[in-house]
Amino acid sequence: MLPSVIEGTPIGKGNDGTSTVKIPAQYREAVEKSADTAGLPIGIIAAQINQESGWNPKAVSPVGARGIAQFMPETWEEWGNGKDPFDPFAGLDARGRYMKYLAGEIADLSSNEKEKIQFTLAVYNAGAGNVQKYGGCPYVKVKLFSALEGHRVTRHGSWRTGL
């Protein structure tokens, strides 16, 4: 598994060269569970949440994505288990289940852990059909050399509201 540091400098390179994301203490256990459910490194889930909402459970995007995990309403209907999309713990739980599903969508493309992570992020950003068609993410070149690189641009862009 790729190294990921979940404490330290907010975003950037740690002293040992690994990427770091500081997970707010109240979400640490939920992020760990989400990553475990997804079968992905903690740093990937943390980097997604940091990029998508900046850890703001009340975030709303210009296109309507809501909550800490920035689910669109129609996707939340399927993955939110009837809970409030602004409940950060429900959002983190849904993120883990959703990323596990996406990883399954491209399981046949990946031959190792690094490729699994790359293709899962590509599916998250571009959709399974496009990843299957192009053998990767056609919109964003997804390179994952650490727990953060490659997920700088999200499927909704780099905007945030309500932060």
Side-chain angles (χ1 to χ4, degrees):
M1 197 154 298
L2 295 175
S4 60
V5 178
I6 58 174
E7 292 185 307
T9 56
I11 295 289
K13 297 290 182 184
N15 293 336
D16 62 357
T18 59
S19 294
T20 60
V21 176
K22 187 166 186 174
I23 300 172
Q26 68 267 34
Y27 302 132
R28 183 185 189 121
E29 186 176 322
V31 171
E32 290 173 356
K33 185 176 178 187
S34 180
D36 186 53
T37 297
L40 294 170
I42 294 165
I44 294 296
I45 299 297
Q48 284 185 303
I49 299 302
N50 191 73
Q51 178 66 30
E52 294 286 2
S53 70
W55 301 98
N56 180 356
K58 297 182 190 290
V60 178
S61 79
V63 296
R66 301 177 295 173
I68 198 167
Q70 290 291 282
F71 278 94
M72 292 297 288
E74 56 276 4
T75 307
W76 184 256
E77 293 249 344
E78 183 175 351
W79 295 96
N81 289 341
K83 296 183 180 174
D84 180 354
F86 296 105
D87 174 343
F89 300 101
L92 291 167
D93 175 63
R95 173 55 59 107
R97 290 181 287 106
Y98 184 58
M99 294 304 288
K100 179 179 181 174
Y101 166 77
L102 295 179
E105 289 288 292
I106 49 76
D108 59 323
L109 287 179
S110 55
S111 61
N112 58 51
E113 188 68 16
K114 182 178 177 180
E115 287 181 354
K116 172 189 170 186
I117 294 166
Q118 289 174 325
F119 285 125
T120 300
L121 291 174
V123 169
Y124 176 78
N125 283 289
N130 286 320
V131 171
Q132 293 282 355
K133 181 178 177 181
Y134 296 104
C137 187
Y139 311 127
V140 180
K141 188 172 183 181
V142 178
K143 287 184 176 181
L144 188 66
F145 297 111
S146 70
L148 296 176
E149 292 171 353
H151 196 68
R152 294 286 184 205
V153 178
T154 69
R155 62 187 162 155
H156 304 300
S158 296
W159 38 256
R160 293 295 159 258
T161 60
L163 297 180

